[in-house]
Amino acid sequence: MGKRENPFNIFKDTKKLNIFIKIISSYNSQGNLFETEEGPLNILRQLLSADNKLYRKWSKLIGGKVRHLAVPNPLFKKFINSYVLPLIKKNKCHQIAHGGESYWSPKKSLETLLPCKTAFSFDLKSAFDNINVDNVLRFFYNSFSGLSEEYKRDFAEFLTIISTISYNNKRVLPQGAPHSMALFNRILYNLDTILFEKSKQKNLNYIRWVDDITLGSNEEKDLKQFLGVIPLIESYAPIAQNKIFFQKNPKPIYLLGHIIEKNKVFKNSKGEREKNKRKPVDYNVFFNSSNSW
């Protein structure tokens, strides 16, 4: 992706700016608010003249882990919610991507696994930090059809730059921004499709709650039947090696802050989970490239 000193410089071309505004306005439920006070052109002008940064960044200890948060400033947040997020959501995410999507809660997501006698679950490692920025660029590029290559590239670069932040010498999705989860879900569409199809072939149910991936079965299966999924995932994204769990009946199954017991899903406490949940599967013992799915 070409680097720009200022992502807004591409809009020095008035014709290009007008086309961009027309496109993003078409996804706003209120239609084209071009020159109104709340319209994208006026917001962009204010952002261009603003002396502050697009995001407010800070670190916070959450659940025993330091989280690096980035929240858009009020004016920029208005632009994201009104124009960027609708453009993102015009692209579909996979039916099993539940976290952050309308209608879904962790409980409703887990209920799609029922009846569940066996569960294999794991986390993607630092998912927002490890998303490939080229995938963000490609997503936005493919969101514009019927335009010249120059316009598609420039619009995609602009949206990629304002939708990501610089962290540890790379661009990542900002934790705490309203668009990040929706964008993350849609970028993972191809991976979700592969896992969904392979799961169906093995008579398994697959769900993803943001970076938490779960494969469930209504049969009592052995761990070896799930081993190949880890190398498959690692060809796309790194895994949190200390957060791989294999659970099955007759013991309760703990997932997403809930418990599956007697084919029903119940909310449970962190203390109960930590006391009763099985130890993680030893990554170094069970997973290697020789396992295939």
Side-chain angles (χ1 to χ4, degrees), residues 254-266:
Y254 295 88
L255 297 165
L256 301 179
H258 290 70
I259 180 173
I260 298 178
E261 191 170 24
K262 297 180 180 178
N263 277 322
K264 291 186 178 181
V265 180
F266 304 96

Side-chain angles (χ1 to χ4, degrees), residues 134-153:
D134 288 338
N135 290 333
V136 179
L137 178 63
R138 188 177 301 108
F139 171 84
F140 283 123
Y141 180 89
N142 291 332
S143 296
F144 297 100
S145 59
L147 299 177
S148 69
E149 289 298 307
E150 176 188 344
Y151 278 30
K152 290 171 68 174
R153 184 194 67 241

Side-chain angles (χ1 to χ4, degrees), residues 31-188:
N32 190 345
L33 304 176
F34 193 78
E35 286 283 9
T36 67
E37 183 178 348
E38 298 296 316
L41 182 58
N42 189 51
I43 294 177
L44 273 177
R45 283 172 176 162
Q46 293 181 63
L47 288 172
L48 280 164
S49 61
D51 197 26
N52 57 336
K53 295 182 178 181
L54 297 181
Y55 293 91
R56 182 170 64 91
K57 303 176 185 178
W58 75 98
S59 298
K60 184 177 181 180
L61 187 65
I62 303 176
K65 183 178 180 180
V66 176
R67 304 284 184 179
H68 303 286
L69 305 176
V71 175
N73 70 44
L75 183 63
F76 183 45
K77 184 177 180 180
K78 181 183 295 185
F79 182 77
I80 287 177
N81 285 333
S82 298
Y83 303 104
V84 179
L85 194 53
L87 184 149
I88 291 172
K89 288 190 171 182
K90 85 176 183 67
N91 296 277
K92 63 180 180 180
C93 65
H94 201 280
Q95 66 192 61
I96 56 75
H98 299 158
E101 298 298 322
S102 300
Y103 171 80
W104 292 104
S105 67
K107 182 179 180 181
K108 288 181 179 179
S109 179
L110 292 173
E111 286 175 342
T112 65
L113 296 177
L114 301 179
C116 182
K117 294 182 180 179
T118 306
F120 181 75
S121 60
F122 54 94
D123 289 3
L124 300 177
K125 182 180 180 181
S126 302
F128 282 12
D129 292 352
N130 285 312
I131 199 73
N132 189 324
V133 71
D134 288 338
N135 290 333
V136 179
L137 178 63
R138 188 177 301 108
F139 171 84
F140 283 123
Y141 180 89
N142 291 332
S143 296
F144 297 100
S145 59
L147 299 177
S148 69
E149 289 298 307
E150 176 188 344
Y151 278 30
K152 290 171 68 174
R153 184 194 67 241
D154 284 352
F155 294 167
E157 286 189 359
F158 168 73
L159 289 170
T160 297
I161 291 171
I162 68 170
S163 298
T164 59
I165 60 171
S166 179
Y167 175 69
N168 282 350
N169 297 316
K170 63 179 180 179
R171 300 205 68 82
V172 303
L173 292 180
Q175 293 191 48
H179 65 281
S180 292
M181 203 172 293
L183 184 53
F184 180 80
N185 281 341
R186 284 151 183 80
I187 288 174
L188 262 62

